[in-house]
Amino acid sequence: MHAALIVAAEEAAEKAHELPFPPIVFGIGAFVGLVAMLLFTYAFRLVGTRH
């Protein structure tokens, strides 16, 4: 009985640490997000000198 519980707990623990997407998707998403923030910041680069 105890061995079956231990095996079931180990299988559940293995599944709990899986990522929903491959790691490359997180990297590409972070890169795209940072580039979007860069472009947004770059778009307002001369606003302070106009006034």
Side-chain angles (χ1 to χ4, degrees), residues 4-21:
L5 289 175
I6 292 172
V7 170
E10 288 176 355
E11 289 178 2
E14 288 177 4
K15 291 184 179 182
H17 296 291
E18 291 180 4
L19 295 173
F21 304 109

Side-chain angles (χ1 to χ4, degrees), residues 21-37:
F21 304 109
I24 190 70
V25 174
F26 289 102
I28 291 171
F31 180 75
V32 168
L34 290 170
V35 169
M37 288 189 289

